[in-house]
Amino acid sequence: MHSQVNSSIVLDEREETIKKLLVNFCDEYNSYVPDADKLELRITGGWVRDKLLGKESHDLDIAVNVLSGEEFASKLLEYTEKKGIKVGANSTSLHTIKKNPEKSKHLETCTARLFGLDVDFVNLRSEQYTEESRVPIVDCGTAEEDALRRDATLNALFYNLNRNKVEDFTGRGIEDLKNGLLRTPLQPLKTFVDDPLRVLRLIRFAARFDFVIEPDTLSAMKDSHIRSALVHKISRERVGVETDKILTGNNVSYGLRLLNHVGFSESIFNPGVLVSTVYELNDKDLCEQIRHFDKKVSSRIDAATQHMQSFTNSLKSANDIPLLQAIWQAVLQDKAATKTFWLCVILEPYSEINVRLNPRKQSLTHYPEVILKEGLRFGKADYDTVSNILKNTSGFTTFDRYFENPSQITRSDLGLYIRQYGDHFPLSVAFGAFSDYLKGVETENRTAEVPTPDGLHLPFNETAFHEIAFQYESLLETIKSEGLEKAADLKPVVDGKMISKALNKKPGPWMKDVTHEVVRWQLDHPHGNAEECIEHLRSVLI
């Protein structure tokens, strides 16, 4: 793949103003210090890459050669005050993040607000790693050392503010950017063993920009030492952050295929530090089930990513399934929904697995929740939603009963089932349709094939597609005709106080089942009122 790359950096008005301020300050500072102490500033990281690709970026990281970030920012603000230069609101308050290797902050970083934009200042640095930890020994370094420590050549490009030019210390960054090629500045295997997180970062950039990974770099990613280092050297929070970015990127299927190809799937989608706890506290048969499903994660990703594009294209081109089309399109246009969709697809093999995690308690936790909460450190919104969808779509569901014989399903059956999903019912439909399609087609394992950004173009099973699509379209038409689109928002026509008074009973746990019966009656009697509902309750409860 070839990318259109600008020959120079084009600054917007605010960036030009910031540059002028910084260069003028450097000129004055440099006029009274020895040559060895003269300031030189470079914008580093993704900003340079994005600018050369013609994309906007407001993530300004500036590397300083001879001062710490805080020293530089403090002297800069002294300069602006002396000169009477107004740099915007909150400019006098500096935010300094001290060195904290455990949180991946290896040198002090200082943030100053200039003309409404947060700008980070940090030293140029060098890194040395040990076998025991991904946390490097970091020291101030040269521009070349700083460039060579980065994850990819095209991310190692600098924009020298003083000289107004792009610097490519690896000698390959510009060319690799033009060719859409991701490679490490140094020997790839050592680069990844030092910090296995770089594998995930390169995969993330590949999926974001539709770039390819250079063959030797891709080969090094498959080394078993890398997978071991990912488990033992990298915090699950960091793994989760990179996985999240892959799942919300521009080409999720490509990112997942790359993860699968290099053998990272099982190392990512697992319970993290709770692996041993799961196997210690649960019976042998359940543990064997989990091991069996662990091996299915890779094949599940392989099958889903093979069929995703053709399934989407067929939905778009179909003329007689407008309701399913609308839901599918809405899910794919929402990055959070897309992420949840993929997590459901990947973790579906574990849908009916519940595990014990506390030796003092018999309570069980849904295994997909454990993977997301402990293995990837995702938030409650993620693991609650995924767990809820997977629990409610497993086994023989109300939808399955509808597909088998629509006439046997009442309005309340559908309404109560929809309510189980809350606001995520459309997402459950998209997931259900795609999952059902996957179950109906045979898929050859293609994990070993080198993934490409444009994906696989496989023969499409039109028979299976149309059967699934028409089933779900019929279901959605029934939901629409019955006025159940907002079933999740339905409020009970009578509340707890009214029920307690009418039945002459004190409030208590019994009311939960009664409230459920109220909603069921209400769904079957959409025009009924409170008095009629109370009469129904009396007839069934007294």
Short mmCIF file of all heavy atoms in Angstrom, two decimals, residues 202-229:
data_model
loop_
_atom_site.label_atom_id
_atom_site.label_comp_id
_atom_site.label_asym_id
_atom_site.label_seq_id
_atom_site.Cartn_x
_atom_site.Cartn_y
_atom_site.Cartn_z
N LEU A 202 1.88 -1.83 17.25
CA LEU A 202 2.05 -1.92 15.80
C LEU A 202 0.80 -2.48 15.13
O LEU A 202 0.40 -2.01 14.05
CB LEU A 202 3.27 -2.76 15.45
CG LEU A 202 4.53 -1.95 15.10
CD1 LEU A 202 4.96 -1.09 16.28
CD2 LEU A 202 5.66 -2.84 14.66
N ILE A 203 0.18 -3.45 15.76
CA ILE A 203 -1.06 -4.00 15.21
C ILE A 203 -2.15 -2.93 15.23
O ILE A 203 -2.93 -2.79 14.28
CB ILE A 203 -1.49 -5.25 16.01
CG1 ILE A 203 -0.56 -6.41 15.68
CG2 ILE A 203 -2.95 -5.62 15.70
CD1 ILE A 203 -0.79 -7.65 16.50
N ARG A 204 -2.18 -2.15 16.29
CA ARG A 204 -3.16 -1.08 16.37
C ARG A 204 -2.97 -0.04 15.25
O ARG A 204 -3.92 0.40 14.60
CB ARG A 204 -3.05 -0.39 17.73
CG ARG A 204 -4.21 0.57 18.02
CD ARG A 204 -3.74 1.96 18.36
NE ARG A 204 -2.85 1.99 19.50
CZ ARG A 204 -2.27 3.13 19.91
NH1 ARG A 204 -2.49 4.26 19.26
NH2 ARG A 204 -1.44 3.14 20.94
N PHE A 205 -1.71 0.33 15.01
CA PHE A 205 -1.44 1.30 13.93
C PHE A 205 -1.75 0.69 12.56
O PHE A 205 -2.25 1.39 11.66
CB PHE A 205 0.01 1.77 13.98
CG PHE A 205 0.31 2.67 15.15
CD1 PHE A 205 1.33 2.36 16.03
CD2 PHE A 205 -0.43 3.82 15.38
CE1 PHE A 205 1.61 3.17 17.12
CE2 PHE A 205 -0.17 4.65 16.45
CZ PHE A 205 0.86 4.32 17.33
N ALA A 206 -1.48 -0.59 12.39
CA ALA A 206 -1.79 -1.25 11.12
C ALA A 206 -3.29 -1.18 10.85
O ALA A 206 -3.72 -0.86 9.73
CB ALA A 206 -1.32 -2.71 11.16
N ALA A 207 -4.09 -1.46 11.88
CA ALA A 207 -5.54 -1.45 11.72
C ALA A 207 -6.09 -0.04 11.57
O ALA A 207 -7.10 0.18 10.91
CB ALA A 207 -6.20 -2.15 12.91
N ARG A 208 -5.43 0.92 12.18
CA ARG A 208 -5.90 2.31 12.09
C ARG A 208 -5.66 2.90 10.70
O ARG A 208 -6.52 3.58 10.14
CB ARG A 208 -5.18 3.16 13.14
CG ARG A 208 -5.53 4.64 13.07
CD ARG A 208 -4.76 5.44 14.10
NE ARG A 208 -4.95 6.87 13.92
CZ ARG A 208 -4.30 7.82 14.60
NH1 ARG A 208 -3.41 7.46 15.53
NH2 ARG A 208 -4.52 9.10 14.37
N PHE A 209 -4.49 2.63 10.14
CA PHE A 209 -4.11 3.26 8.87
C PHE A 209 -4.17 2.32 7.67
O PHE A 209 -3.86 2.72 6.55
CB PHE A 209 -2.68 3.82 8.98
CG PHE A 209 -2.53 4.94 9.97
CD1 PHE A 209 -1.84 4.74 11.16
CD2 PHE A 209 -3.07 6.18 9.73
CE1 PHE A 209 -1.69 5.77 12.08
CE2 PHE A 209 -2.93 7.22 10.64
CZ PHE A 209 -2.24 7.01 11.82
N ASP A 210 -4.56 1.07 7.89
CA ASP A 210 -4.52 0.05 6.83
C ASP A 210 -3.11 -0.12 6.28
O ASP A 210 -2.89 -0.28 5.08
CB ASP A 210 -5.50 0.40 5.69
CG ASP A 210 -6.94 0.06 6.05
OD1 ASP A 210 -7.16 -0.69 7.01
OD2 ASP A 210 -7.85 0.56 5.37
N PHE A 211 -2.13 -0.08 7.18
CA PHE A 211 -0.74 -0.33 6.82
C PHE A 211 -0.42 -1.82 6.98
O PHE A 211 -1.14 -2.55 7.66
CB PHE A 211 0.20 0.48 7.72
CG PHE A 211 0.22 1.96 7.43
CD1 PHE A 211 0.92 2.82 8.27
CD2 PHE A 211 -0.43 2.49 6.34
CE1 PHE A 211 0.95 4.19 8.02
CE2 PHE A 211 -0.42 3.86 6.07
CZ PHE A 211 0.28 4.71 6.91
N VAL A 212 0.66 -2.25 6.35
CA VAL A 212 1.09 -3.64 6.50
C VAL A 212 2.34 -3.67 7.39
O VAL A 212 3.06 -2.69 7.51
CB VAL A 212 1.40 -4.31 5.14
CG1 VAL A 212 0.14 -4.36 4.29
CG2 VAL A 212 2.52 -3.57 4.40
N ILE A 213 2.55 -4.81 8.02
CA ILE A 213 3.71 -4.99 8.89
C ILE A 213 4.81 -5.68 8.10
O ILE A 213 4.56 -6.70 7.44
CB ILE A 213 3.33 -5.79 10.15
CG1 ILE A 213 2.25 -5.04 10.94
CG2 ILE A 213 4.55 -6.04 11.02
CD1 ILE A 213 1.70 -5.79 12.13
N GLU A 214 5.98 -5.10 8.13
CA GLU A 214 7.14 -5.63 7.39
C GLU A 214 7.37 -7.10 7.76
O GLU A 214 7.22 -7.48 8.93
CB GLU A 214 8.35 -4.76 7.73
CG GLU A 214 9.61 -5.09 7.00
CD GLU A 214 10.47 -6.07 7.77
OE1 GLU A 214 10.38 -6.10 9.02
OE2 GLU A 214 11.22 -6.82 7.11
N PRO A 215 7.66 -7.97 6.78
CA PRO A 215 7.72 -9.43 7.02
C PRO A 215 8.60 -9.87 8.18
O PRO A 215 8.19 -10.70 8.99
CB PRO A 215 8.23 -9.98 5.69
CG PRO A 215 7.74 -9.00 4.67
CD PRO A 215 7.82 -7.66 5.34
N ASP A 216 9.82 -9.33 8.30
CA ASP A 216 10.70 -9.74 9.40
C ASP A 216 10.12 -9.31 10.75
O ASP A 216 10.24 -10.02 11.75
CB ASP A 216 12.10 -9.15 9.23
CG ASP A 216 12.87 -9.82 8.09
OD1 ASP A 216 12.47 -10.93 7.67
OD2 ASP A 216 13.87 -9.23 7.62
N THR A 217 9.50 -8.14 10.76
CA THR A 217 8.87 -7.65 11.99
C THR A 217 7.69 -8.53 12.37
O THR A 217 7.51 -8.91 13.53
CB THR A 217 8.40 -6.20 11.79
OG1 THR A 217 9.52 -5.39 11.40
CG2 THR A 217 7.80 -5.63 13.07
N LEU A 218 6.88 -8.91 11.38
CA LEU A 218 5.73 -9.78 11.63
C LEU A 218 6.18 -11.14 12.11
O LEU A 218 5.59 -11.72 13.03
CB LEU A 218 4.89 -9.91 10.36
CG LEU A 218 3.56 -10.64 10.49
CD1 LEU A 218 2.60 -9.87 11.40
CD2 LEU A 218 2.92 -10.85 9.11
N SER A 219 7.25 -11.66 11.51
CA SER A 219 7.78 -12.96 11.92
C SER A 219 8.26 -12.94 13.36
O SER A 219 8.02 -13.88 14.14
CB SER A 219 8.92 -13.36 10.98
OG SER A 219 9.47 -14.60 11.36
N ALA A 220 8.92 -11.87 13.76
CA ALA A 220 9.42 -11.75 15.13
C ALA A 220 8.27 -11.71 16.14
O ALA A 220 8.41 -12.20 17.26
CB ALA A 220 10.29 -10.50 15.27
N MET A 221 7.14 -11.15 15.74
CA MET A 221 5.98 -11.07 16.63
C MET A 221 5.48 -12.45 17.06
O MET A 221 4.86 -12.60 18.11
CB MET A 221 4.84 -10.32 15.94
CG MET A 221 5.04 -8.84 15.77
SD MET A 221 3.64 -8.11 14.88
CE MET A 221 3.98 -6.36 15.03
N LYS A 222 5.75 -13.47 16.24
CA LYS A 222 5.23 -14.81 16.51
C LYS A 222 6.08 -15.60 17.49
O LYS A 222 5.69 -16.70 17.90
CB LYS A 222 5.14 -15.60 15.19
CG LYS A 222 4.28 -14.95 14.13
CD LYS A 222 4.37 -15.74 12.83
CE LYS A 222 3.74 -15.01 11.68
NZ LYS A 222 3.90 -15.75 10.39
N ASP A 223 7.22 -15.07 17.86
CA ASP A 223 8.13 -15.81 18.75
C ASP A 223 7.47 -16.09 20.10
O ASP A 223 6.84 -15.20 20.69
CB ASP A 223 9.40 -14.97 18.95
CG ASP A 223 10.50 -15.77 19.64
OD1 ASP A 223 10.45 -15.87 20.88
OD2 ASP A 223 11.39 -16.29 18.94
N SER A 224 7.61 -17.30 20.59
CA SER A 224 6.96 -17.70 21.84
C SER A 224 7.44 -16.87 23.02
O SER A 224 6.72 -16.69 24.01
CB SER A 224 7.19 -19.19 22.11
OG SER A 224 8.58 -19.47 22.23
N HIS A 225 8.69 -16.39 22.96
CA HIS A 225 9.21 -15.57 24.06
C HIS A 225 8.40 -14.27 24.20
O HIS A 225 8.26 -13.74 25.30
CB HIS A 225 10.68 -15.22 23.82
CG HIS A 225 11.60 -16.40 23.87
ND1 HIS A 225 11.90 -17.15 22.75
CD2 HIS A 225 12.24 -16.99 24.91
CE1 HIS A 225 12.72 -18.12 23.09
NE2 HIS A 225 12.94 -18.07 24.39
N ILE A 226 7.87 -13.78 23.08
CA ILE A 226 7.08 -12.55 23.11
C ILE A 226 5.78 -12.79 23.87
O ILE A 226 5.37 -11.99 24.72
CB ILE A 226 6.76 -12.03 21.69
CG1 ILE A 226 8.02 -11.94 20.85
CG2 ILE A 226 6.05 -10.70 21.76
CD1 ILE A 226 9.02 -10.95 21.33
N ARG A 227 5.11 -13.90 23.56
CA ARG A 227 3.84 -14.21 24.24
C ARG A 227 4.08 -14.39 25.73
O ARG A 227 3.29 -13.94 26.57
CB ARG A 227 3.20 -15.46 23.63
CG ARG A 227 2.69 -15.24 22.23
CD ARG A 227 1.77 -16.38 21.81
NE ARG A 227 2.50 -17.62 21.63
CZ ARG A 227 3.15 -17.96 20.52
NH1 ARG A 227 3.18 -17.12 19.49
NH2 ARG A 227 3.78 -19.12 20.42
N SER A 228 5.17 -15.06 26.08
CA SER A 228 5.49 -15.26 27.49
C SER A 228 5.77 -13.92 28.17
O SER A 228 5.29 -13.66 29.29
CB SER A 228 6.71 -16.17 27.62
OG SER A 228 7.11 -16.29 28.96
N ALA A 229 6.50 -13.07 27.48
CA ALA A 229 6.82 -11.75 28.06
C ALA A 229 5.56 -10.90 28.20
O ALA A 229 5.44 -10.13 29.16
CB ALA A 229 7.84 -11.03 27.18
#
